[in-house]
Amino acid sequence: MSYAQLFTGMQAPAGGSVPQARRNRLLLVDDEPNVLSALRRVFHYENYEVVCCEDPAQALERLKQENFQVVISDYMMPGLNGGDLLKQVRAIQPDMIRIMLTGHADVNAVVGAMKAGAVYKFILKPWNDDDLRVTVALALEQHALQQKNRALATENQAKTKEIEQLARYGVSNRSQLAVMLNKRGLLNTQQVQELMRTRQQQRTEPVVKLIVDRGWASEKEIYDLLSKDLMLQQAALDEFTVDVAVAALIPALLCQQQFVMPLQIEGKRLTLAMADPLDAGLVADLRFVTGLEIAPVLATMASIRAKIAEVYMLSANDITELASNFGSPDPYEGLEIVIEDDGDAQSIEELLQATDEPPAIRLVNSILLEAIRLGASDIHIQPRAKNVVVRLRIDGVLVDKIHIPHGMHQSLVSRIKVMAELDISERRRPQDGRLAVKTPTRVVDLRISTLPTINGEKVVMRILDRNSAVQSLDALGFSAENLANIRHANDKPQGIVLTTGPTGSGKTTTLYSLLQSNATSHKNYITIEDPVEYYLDAAGQVLVREKIGLTFPLILRAILRQDPDVLLIGEIRDVETAEVAFHAALTGHQVFSTLHTNSAVATISRLFDLGLKPFVVASALEAIVAQRLVRRICDECRAPANADTELLQRLGGKFAESMEQVFAGSGCPTCYHSGYKGRVGLYEVLLPDRHLRHLIASQAAVTEITEYAREHGFITLRDDAFNKVSLGLTTLDEVFRVLGPE
């Protein structure tokens, strides 16, 4: 028996020689020979192979040809400092542990190298020999653990791929339960065919659950039939104590989705509780994966779900949330995806772990709370070349609020994606989602949009306050003439009223004010929106869900069979929606909707461009309201100001001819020293009379329609802006920002 066997347990080969363990290799880099000699003496009694290099370039060449476990480098060296050297070392041998020795006073540069991931640890000169030996020993232990973890991860990845392929077969349509129930008269042929189609499209739920959820047969009827006709054994799961090793044979998520539960092993036989024991494909796949013969026993879905929660220490909600976070109902989908980027690759598990870090959570919460406190309508998280800026749209203007380092960007975006149930592994395509946020004072809805840019993913969040009150028409800022016109159109029981303008110009707010101004309990109000911006108890509000095919035209056709009196359509975006909306207006319904155009008259051309017939537009149209939002001067600090002559000339029209008095805000605590508080609308209201309807039906030119409207008192956006500047409601700069030069 050799001496080595006392420590390794190895049996000596026939020749008597024992294979020696591989020695760990250390690379020492320092431009001073006496420092290298001192380092070599530190490790003289250790079982290491020590290689010394006085030149960083020489060390890099050796690294390209040989493998080392640890490198120890000086910081101050000619040509290439230690931080840059270790960054290149990481690129050549990423797994090698990198230690820096420094007597340099600029500790920030060294800490920067550590934050960049180039340095495992740095030690100040003069060093303590014992501390250095312990540090290297710990570094070698970490290196060994990394290698072991990588080997295990590779093995796990291979097994996961194998299980993924088998799992896809396991949830395919190979259960004979539906056929058996059909033969026993519990299901008809049409129901069996529908189950087949459903399983082909959505292969995640067992047949028994689909049948019970549809109410075609009760769970008790199915189990009574299985136990009596097939003599299947029923298991009382509360009497089983499941061993941890047995439970580990099948993942919890697969058990939850397929309603199976491993119970015990006897010899090479695994007793498996199943809600559908006739799923021969699933049984065969689990037999192959576990390497055991499967003995299925019958159990109810509720008892299996309870046992899973008990054994795996997870509730059904936990598992469902886990599946949604991975973005796929398939339990194995995405477990091995690695996100490739210009930097280091991150697995989904690492990203999920990063989102649980307190800095990411606190940062997201603070951004949301600050945006809600300041009354922002949108939050922009925009990565730039040097940092990531958080911008808030307050009163229609974007303001830079927070600058965060690039290192926190990915965990910040991942945290938001997890909250909105988006796919955190997808960073190459835009995604949309929504979530609700409850603050101590109110509940707001967030509409999330992500967009990949060259600097990383940009995230925009639209804030919608559930408790925001619908404003009255008088509070919106209509002039006396425009208010009278819009009330006249709103009093008509049929026809369509359109509000137009760019995104964020207050179109939906105007529509809700119109809808509420004449609301009575004698009418049926229905709205179609994406998303719902205001909540009205008096109206039936429908949310558009494009992902499941619940589109504007589909909902609109269904709503017309709901006996509506008043319809509010969030947006006319295609010819289908336009045709249904206008035909509803022609058949006795009052319709409100929005459209993206620049002016009231241009809306008519846009409707023709959508494909509507001129006589339909002329007959159904009751009013067009074009609008913009400008910031209102703060009432607390408003004061007369000198008008910019050049700006007046660029605005043109009445501004250049007769503008005498302007106002501005000097800034105060009430308006956060911006000079503005709130917003006010600029409006133009076009009401078609008999001759104007004739011009629309005959497809007259836009200039002809505009000229006729101006002759009959039509107030344009610039006219309304002139009046509001004269009244001291807004400034010339705001008008120029929103309307631009004439």
Side-chain angles (χ1 to χ4, degrees), residues 204 253-254 256-257 316-335 352 421-423:
T204 58
L253 192 54
L254 180 60
Q256 177 73 11
Q257 289 185 341
N317 291 334
D318 293 333
I319 299 176
T320 303
E321 289 175 4
L322 181 61
S324 66
N325 287 343
F326 279 101
S328 170
D330 190 328
Y332 301 100
E333 194 78 33
L335 286 178
L352 280 175
E421 297 185 356
L422 301 179
D423 185 358

PDB file of all heavy atoms in Angstrom, residues 204 253-254 256-257 316-335 352 421-423:
ATOM      1  N   THR A 204     -49.778  22.389 -23.514  1.00  0.00           N
ATOM      2  CA  THR A 204     -49.249  22.490 -22.161  1.00  0.00           C
ATOM      3  C   THR A 204     -50.151  21.872 -21.106  1.00  0.00           C
ATOM      4  O   THR A 204     -49.698  21.598 -20.010  1.00  0.00           O
ATOM      5  CB  THR A 204     -49.020  23.968 -21.802  1.00  0.00           C
ATOM      6  OG1 THR A 204     -50.271  24.661 -21.931  1.00  0.00           O
ATOM      7  CG2 THR A 204     -48.003  24.593 -22.730  1.00  0.00           C
ATOM      8  N   LEU A 253     -42.137  22.319 -12.093  1.00  0.00           N
ATOM      9  CA  LEU A 253     -42.967  22.983 -13.097  1.00  0.00           C
ATOM     10  C   LEU A 253     -43.643  21.981 -14.015  1.00  0.00           C
ATOM     11  O   LEU A 253     -44.811  22.138 -14.386  1.00  0.00           O
ATOM     12  CB  LEU A 253     -42.107  23.959 -13.905  1.00  0.00           C
ATOM     13  CG  LEU A 253     -42.857  24.937 -14.806  1.00  0.00           C
ATOM     14  CD1 LEU A 253     -43.904  25.706 -14.027  1.00  0.00           C
ATOM     15  CD2 LEU A 253     -41.886  25.888 -15.463  1.00  0.00           C
ATOM     16  N   LEU A 254     -42.930  20.919 -14.381  1.00  0.00           N
ATOM     17  CA  LEU A 254     -43.531  19.879 -15.231  1.00  0.00           C
ATOM     18  C   LEU A 254     -44.626  19.145 -14.453  1.00  0.00           C
ATOM     19  O   LEU A 254     -45.683  18.817 -15.015  1.00  0.00           O
ATOM     20  CB  LEU A 254     -42.454  18.898 -15.693  1.00  0.00           C
ATOM     21  CG  LEU A 254     -42.940  17.756 -16.596  1.00  0.00           C
ATOM     22  CD1 LEU A 254     -43.571  18.298 -17.864  1.00  0.00           C
ATOM     23  CD2 LEU A 254     -41.807  16.807 -16.940  1.00  0.00           C
ATOM     24  N   GLN A 256     -46.479  20.413 -12.128  1.00  0.00           N
ATOM     25  CA  GLN A 256     -47.623  21.312 -12.021  1.00  0.00           C
ATOM     26  C   GLN A 256     -48.409  21.372 -13.320  1.00  0.00           C
ATOM     27  O   GLN A 256     -49.634  21.348 -13.317  1.00  0.00           O
ATOM     28  CB  GLN A 256     -47.124  22.718 -11.644  1.00  0.00           C
ATOM     29  CG  GLN A 256     -48.207  23.780 -11.554  1.00  0.00           C
ATOM     30  CD  GLN A 256     -49.066  23.621 -10.323  1.00  0.00           C
ATOM     31  OE1 GLN A 256     -48.727  22.845  -9.435  1.00  0.00           O
ATOM     32  NE2 GLN A 256     -50.175  24.339 -10.267  1.00  0.00           N
ATOM     33  N   GLN A 257     -47.718  21.435 -14.443  1.00  0.00           N
ATOM     34  CA  GLN A 257     -48.413  21.587 -15.720  1.00  0.00           C
ATOM     35  C   GLN A 257     -49.083  20.298 -16.180  1.00  0.00           C
ATOM     36  O   GLN A 257     -50.151  20.329 -16.778  1.00  0.00           O
ATOM     37  CB  GLN A 257     -47.440  22.094 -16.786  1.00  0.00           C
ATOM     38  CG  GLN A 257     -47.024  23.543 -16.572  1.00  0.00           C
ATOM     39  CD  GLN A 257     -46.162  24.059 -17.699  1.00  0.00           C
ATOM     40  OE1 GLN A 257     -45.598  23.282 -18.453  1.00  0.00           O
ATOM     41  NE2 GLN A 257     -46.059  25.374 -17.820  1.00  0.00           N
ATOM     42  N   ALA A 316     -49.084  27.125  -6.179  1.00  0.00           N
ATOM     43  CA  ALA A 316     -49.434  27.156  -7.603  1.00  0.00           C
ATOM     44  C   ALA A 316     -49.129  28.516  -8.205  1.00  0.00           C
ATOM     45  O   ALA A 316     -48.695  28.628  -9.347  1.00  0.00           O
ATOM     46  CB  ALA A 316     -50.921  26.814  -7.783  1.00  0.00           C
ATOM     47  N   ASN A 317     -49.343  29.600  -7.424  1.00  0.00           N
ATOM     48  CA  ASN A 317     -49.057  30.936  -7.943  1.00  0.00           C
ATOM     49  C   ASN A 317     -47.578  31.135  -8.187  1.00  0.00           C
ATOM     50  O   ASN A 317     -47.165  31.760  -9.154  1.00  0.00           O
ATOM     51  CB  ASN A 317     -49.566  31.999  -6.958  1.00  0.00           C
ATOM     52  CG  ASN A 317     -51.070  32.045  -6.907  1.00  0.00           C
ATOM     53  OD1 ASN A 317     -51.728  31.680  -7.866  1.00  0.00           O
ATOM     54  ND2 ASN A 317     -51.614  32.492  -5.783  1.00  0.00           N
ATOM     55  N   ASP A 318     -46.747  30.575  -7.280  1.00  0.00           N
ATOM     56  CA  ASP A 318     -45.299  30.695  -7.460  1.00  0.00           C
ATOM     57  C   ASP A 318     -44.870  30.072  -8.769  1.00  0.00           C
ATOM     58  O   ASP A 318     -44.068  30.627  -9.519  1.00  0.00           O
ATOM     59  CB  ASP A 318     -44.564  30.024  -6.293  1.00  0.00           C
ATOM     60  CG  ASP A 318     -44.779  30.762  -4.990  1.00  0.00           C
ATOM     61  OD1 ASP A 318     -45.026  31.972  -5.037  1.00  0.00           O
ATOM     62  OD2 ASP A 318     -44.696  30.109  -3.944  1.00  0.00           O
ATOM     63  N   ILE A 319     -45.380  28.881  -9.061  1.00  0.00           N
ATOM     64  CA  ILE A 319     -44.969  28.177 -10.275  1.00  0.00           C
ATOM     65  C   ILE A 319     -45.502  28.887 -11.507  1.00  0.00           C
ATOM     66  O   ILE A 319     -44.820  29.007 -12.521  1.00  0.00           O
ATOM     67  CB  ILE A 319     -45.442  26.711 -10.231  1.00  0.00           C
ATOM     68  CG1 ILE A 319     -44.801  26.012  -9.026  1.00  0.00           C
ATOM     69  CG2 ILE A 319     -45.097  25.975 -11.501  1.00  0.00           C
ATOM     70  CD1 ILE A 319     -45.250  24.594  -8.803  1.00  0.00           C
ATOM     71  N   THR A 320     -46.732  29.391 -11.412  1.00  0.00           N
ATOM     72  CA  THR A 320     -47.293  30.112 -12.549  1.00  0.00           C
ATOM     73  C   THR A 320     -46.493  31.368 -12.829  1.00  0.00           C
ATOM     74  O   THR A 320     -46.204  31.698 -13.983  1.00  0.00           O
ATOM     75  CB  THR A 320     -48.763  30.473 -12.259  1.00  0.00           C
ATOM     76  OG1 THR A 320     -49.471  29.278 -11.977  1.00  0.00           O
ATOM     77  CG2 THR A 320     -49.381  31.184 -13.454  1.00  0.00           C
ATOM     78  N   GLU A 321     -46.098  32.089 -11.762  1.00  0.00           N
ATOM     79  CA  GLU A 321     -45.313  33.295 -11.963  1.00  0.00           C
ATOM     80  C   GLU A 321     -43.948  32.960 -12.540  1.00  0.00           C
ATOM     81  O   GLU A 321     -43.424  33.681 -13.386  1.00  0.00           O
ATOM     82  CB  GLU A 321     -45.142  34.027 -10.633  1.00  0.00           C
ATOM     83  CG  GLU A 321     -46.425  34.680 -10.140  1.00  0.00           C
ATOM     84  CD  GLU A 321     -46.260  35.286  -8.758  1.00  0.00           C
ATOM     85  OE1 GLU A 321     -45.124  35.243  -8.244  1.00  0.00           O
ATOM     86  OE2 GLU A 321     -47.244  35.769  -8.221  1.00  0.00           O
ATOM     87  N   LEU A 322     -43.369  31.841 -12.116  1.00  0.00           N
ATOM     88  CA  LEU A 322     -42.082  31.431 -12.663  1.00  0.00           C
ATOM     89  C   LEU A 322     -42.199  31.173 -14.151  1.00  0.00           C
ATOM     90  O   LEU A 322     -41.358  31.587 -14.943  1.00  0.00           O
ATOM     91  CB  LEU A 322     -41.584  30.173 -11.940  1.00  0.00           C
ATOM     92  CG  LEU A 322     -40.225  29.628 -12.384  1.00  0.00           C
ATOM     93  CD1 LEU A 322     -39.142  30.655 -12.155  1.00  0.00           C
ATOM     94  CD2 LEU A 322     -39.904  28.333 -11.672  1.00  0.00           C
ATOM     95  N   ALA A 323     -43.269  30.502 -14.564  1.00  0.00           N
ATOM     96  CA  ALA A 323     -43.463  30.225 -15.993  1.00  0.00           C
ATOM     97  C   ALA A 323     -43.641  31.509 -16.778  1.00  0.00           C
ATOM     98  O   ALA A 323     -43.094  31.671 -17.865  1.00  0.00           O
ATOM     99  CB  ALA A 323     -44.667  29.309 -16.187  1.00  0.00           C
ATOM    100  N   SER A 324     -44.398  32.460 -16.219  1.00  0.00           N
ATOM    101  CA  SER A 324     -44.613  33.705 -16.946  1.00  0.00           C
ATOM    102  C   SER A 324     -43.340  34.519 -17.033  1.00  0.00           C
ATOM    103  O   SER A 324     -43.083  35.190 -18.025  1.00  0.00           O
ATOM    104  CB  SER A 324     -45.709  34.531 -16.259  1.00  0.00           C
ATOM    105  OG  SER A 324     -45.273  34.946 -14.979  1.00  0.00           O
ATOM    106  N   ASN A 325     -42.497  34.465 -16.004  1.00  0.00           N
ATOM    107  CA  ASN A 325     -41.235  35.191 -16.056  1.00  0.00           C
ATOM    108  C   ASN A 325     -40.324  34.653 -17.138  1.00  0.00           C
ATOM    109  O   ASN A 325     -39.575  35.396 -17.767  1.00  0.00           O
ATOM    110  CB  ASN A 325     -40.518  35.113 -14.701  1.00  0.00           C
ATOM    111  CG  ASN A 325     -41.195  35.968 -13.659  1.00  0.00           C
ATOM    112  OD1 ASN A 325     -41.984  36.837 -13.995  1.00  0.00           O
ATOM    113  ND2 ASN A 325     -40.907  35.719 -12.401  1.00  0.00           N
ATOM    114  N   PHE A 326     -40.352  33.341 -17.345  1.00  0.00           N
ATOM    115  CA  PHE A 326     -39.541  32.781 -18.401  1.00  0.00           C
ATOM    116  C   PHE A 326     -40.166  32.998 -19.770  1.00  0.00           C
ATOM    117  O   PHE A 326     -39.572  32.668 -20.787  1.00  0.00           O
ATOM    118  CB  PHE A 326     -39.300  31.286 -18.179  1.00  0.00           C
ATOM    119  CG  PHE A 326     -38.200  31.023 -17.204  1.00  0.00           C
ATOM    120  CD1 PHE A 326     -38.488  30.672 -15.898  1.00  0.00           C
ATOM    121  CD2 PHE A 326     -36.886  31.161 -17.585  1.00  0.00           C
ATOM    122  CE1 PHE A 326     -37.471  30.447 -15.004  1.00  0.00           C
ATOM    123  CE2 PHE A 326     -35.862  30.920 -16.690  1.00  0.00           C
ATOM    124  CZ  PHE A 326     -36.166  30.564 -15.389  1.00  0.00           C
ATOM    125  N   GLY A 327     -41.389  33.548 -19.814  1.00  0.00           N
ATOM    126  CA  GLY A 327     -41.982  33.935 -21.080  1.00  0.00           C
ATOM    127  C   GLY A 327     -42.505  32.789 -21.896  1.00  0.00           C
ATOM    128  O   GLY A 327     -42.736  32.940 -23.083  1.00  0.00           O
ATOM    129  N   SER A 328     -42.702  31.617 -21.326  1.00  0.00           N
ATOM    130  CA  SER A 328     -43.180  30.489 -22.100  1.00  0.00           C
ATOM    131  C   SER A 328     -43.901  29.527 -21.194  1.00  0.00           C
ATOM    132  O   SER A 328     -43.488  29.291 -20.071  1.00  0.00           O
ATOM    133  CB  SER A 328     -42.012  29.770 -22.788  1.00  0.00           C
ATOM    134  OG  SER A 328     -42.453  28.557 -23.351  1.00  0.00           O
ATOM    135  N   PRO A 329     -45.016  28.935 -21.665  1.00  0.00           N
ATOM    136  CA  PRO A 329     -45.692  27.949 -20.834  1.00  0.00           C
ATOM    137  C   PRO A 329     -44.960  26.621 -20.763  1.00  0.00           C
ATOM    138  O   PRO A 329     -45.242  25.802 -19.921  1.00  0.00           O
ATOM    139  CB  PRO A 329     -47.045  27.783 -21.547  1.00  0.00           C
ATOM    140  CG  PRO A 329     -46.774  28.157 -22.962  1.00  0.00           C
ATOM    141  CD  PRO A 329     -45.721  29.219 -22.902  1.00  0.00           C
ATOM    142  N   ASP A 330     -44.012  26.412 -21.664  1.00  0.00           N
ATOM    143  CA  ASP A 330     -43.254  25.167 -21.654  1.00  0.00           C
ATOM    144  C   ASP A 330     -42.253  25.207 -20.503  1.00  0.00           C
ATOM    145  O   ASP A 330     -41.467  26.144 -20.391  1.00  0.00           O
ATOM    146  CB  ASP A 330     -42.500  25.006 -22.983  1.00  0.00           C
ATOM    147  CG  ASP A 330     -41.902  23.611 -23.123  1.00  0.00           C
ATOM    148  OD1 ASP A 330     -41.516  23.007 -22.105  1.00  0.00           O
ATOM    149  OD2 ASP A 330     -41.822  23.142 -24.243  1.00  0.00           O
ATOM    150  N   PRO A 331     -42.253  24.207 -19.603  1.00  0.00           N
ATOM    151  CA  PRO A 331     -41.374  24.284 -18.429  1.00  0.00           C
ATOM    152  C   PRO A 331     -39.905  24.294 -18.768  1.00  0.00           C
ATOM    153  O   PRO A 331     -39.095  24.747 -17.985  1.00  0.00           O
ATOM    154  CB  PRO A 331     -41.744  23.019 -17.631  1.00  0.00           C
ATOM    155  CG  PRO A 331     -42.340  22.086 -18.633  1.00  0.00           C
ATOM    156  CD  PRO A 331     -43.040  22.964 -19.618  1.00  0.00           C
ATOM    157  N   TYR A 332     -39.528  23.803 -19.932  1.00  0.00           N
ATOM    158  CA  TYR A 332     -38.109  23.733 -20.275  1.00  0.00           C
ATOM    159  C   TYR A 332     -37.707  24.820 -21.262  1.00  0.00           C
ATOM    160  O   TYR A 332     -36.557  24.911 -21.647  1.00  0.00           O
ATOM    161  CB  TYR A 332     -37.791  22.360 -20.883  1.00  0.00           C
ATOM    162  CG  TYR A 332     -38.124  21.248 -19.934  1.00  0.00           C
ATOM    163  CD1 TYR A 332     -39.305  20.545 -20.076  1.00  0.00           C
ATOM    164  CD2 TYR A 332     -37.284  20.934 -18.876  1.00  0.00           C
ATOM    165  CE1 TYR A 332     -39.635  19.534 -19.195  1.00  0.00           C
ATOM    166  CE2 TYR A 332     -37.613  19.918 -17.993  1.00  0.00           C
ATOM    167  CZ  TYR A 332     -38.786  19.223 -18.158  1.00  0.00           C
ATOM    168  OH  TYR A 332     -39.114  18.243 -17.288  1.00  0.00           O
ATOM    169  N   GLU A 333     -38.693  25.600 -21.714  1.00  0.00           N
ATOM    170  CA  GLU A 333     -38.395  26.624 -22.708  1.00  0.00           C
ATOM    171  C   GLU A 333     -37.550  27.715 -22.076  1.00  0.00           C
ATOM    172  O   GLU A 333     -37.916  28.310 -21.080  1.00  0.00           O
ATOM    173  CB  GLU A 333     -39.706  27.235 -23.220  1.00  0.00           C
ATOM    174  CG  GLU A 333     -39.538  28.067 -24.473  1.00  0.00           C
ATOM    175  CD  GLU A 333     -39.401  27.200 -25.699  1.00  0.00           C
ATOM    176  OE1 GLU A 333     -39.993  26.125 -25.747  1.00  0.00           O
ATOM    177  OE2 GLU A 333     -38.676  27.616 -26.595  1.00  0.00           O
ATOM    178  N   GLY A 334     -36.383  27.996 -22.623  1.00  0.00           N
ATOM    179  CA  GLY A 334     -35.587  29.126 -22.195  1.00  0.00           C
ATOM    180  C   GLY A 334     -34.622  28.859 -21.070  1.00  0.00           C
ATOM    181  O   GLY A 334     -33.868  29.732 -20.704  1.00  0.00           O
ATOM    182  N   LEU A 335     -34.601  27.659 -20.493  1.00  0.00           N
ATOM    183  CA  LEU A 335     -33.714  27.425 -19.365  1.00  0.00           C
ATOM    184  C   LEU A 335     -32.248  27.486 -19.752  1.00  0.00           C
ATOM    185  O   LEU A 335     -31.406  27.745 -18.926  1.00  0.00           O
ATOM    186  CB  LEU A 335     -34.019  26.049 -18.745  1.00  0.00           C
ATOM    187  CG  LEU A 335     -35.300  25.966 -17.920  1.00  0.00           C
ATOM    188  CD1 LEU A 335     -35.491  24.555 -17.417  1.00  0.00           C
ATOM    189  CD2 LEU A 335     -35.266  26.932 -16.761  1.00  0.00           C
ATOM    190  N   LEU A 352     -32.342  37.006 -13.833  1.00  0.00           N
ATOM    191  CA  LEU A 352     -33.391  36.961 -12.825  1.00  0.00           C
ATOM    192  C   LEU A 352     -32.826  37.248 -11.444  1.00  0.00           C
ATOM    193  O   LEU A 352     -33.438  37.930 -10.628  1.00  0.00           O
ATOM    194  CB  LEU A 352     -34.071  35.590 -12.839  1.00  0.00           C
ATOM    195  CG  LEU A 352     -35.117  35.381 -13.936  1.00  0.00           C
ATOM    196  CD1 LEU A 352     -35.605  33.945 -13.905  1.00  0.00           C
ATOM    197  CD2 LEU A 352     -36.279  36.331 -13.781  1.00  0.00           C
ATOM    198  N   GLU A 421     -44.223  41.297 -17.036  1.00  0.00           N
ATOM    199  CA  GLU A 421     -44.376  39.957 -17.615  1.00  0.00           C
ATOM    200  C   GLU A 421     -43.917  39.926 -19.077  1.00  0.00           C
ATOM    201  O   GLU A 421     -44.549  39.329 -19.940  1.00  0.00           O
ATOM    202  CB  GLU A 421     -45.828  39.475 -17.501  1.00  0.00           C
ATOM    203  CG  GLU A 421     -46.294  39.313 -16.069  1.00  0.00           C
ATOM    204  CD  GLU A 421     -47.688  38.724 -15.958  1.00  0.00           C
ATOM    205  OE1 GLU A 421     -48.307  38.513 -17.020  1.00  0.00           O
ATOM    206  OE2 GLU A 421     -48.138  38.476 -14.836  1.00  0.00           O
ATOM    207  N   LEU A 422     -42.803  40.596 -19.351  1.00  0.00           N
ATOM    208  CA  LEU A 422     -42.185  40.543 -20.672  1.00  0.00           C
ATOM    209  C   LEU A 422     -41.070  39.513 -20.668  1.00  0.00           C
ATOM    210  O   LEU A 422     -40.657  39.012 -19.626  1.00  0.00           O
ATOM    211  CB  LEU A 422     -41.633  41.922 -21.061  1.00  0.00           C
ATOM    212  CG  LEU A 422     -42.645  43.068 -21.121  1.00  0.00           C
ATOM    213  CD1 LEU A 422     -41.950  44.370 -21.485  1.00  0.00           C
ATOM    214  CD2 LEU A 422     -43.741  42.766 -22.127  1.00  0.00           C
ATOM    215  N   ASP A 423     -40.561  39.187 -21.847  1.00  0.00           N
ATOM    216  CA  ASP A 423     -39.504  38.184 -21.995  1.00  0.00           C
ATOM    217  C   ASP A 423     -38.159  38.859 -21.747  1.00  0.00           C
ATOM    218  O   ASP A 423     -37.687  39.644 -22.570  1.00  0.00           O
ATOM    219  CB  ASP A 423     -39.570  37.584 -23.409  1.00  0.00           C
ATOM    220  CG  ASP A 423     -38.569  36.446 -23.591  1.00  0.00           C
ATOM    221  OD1 ASP A 423     -37.818  36.163 -22.635  1.00  0.00           O
ATOM    222  OD2 ASP A 423     -38.539  35.848 -24.673  1.00  0.00           O
TER     223      ASP A 423
END
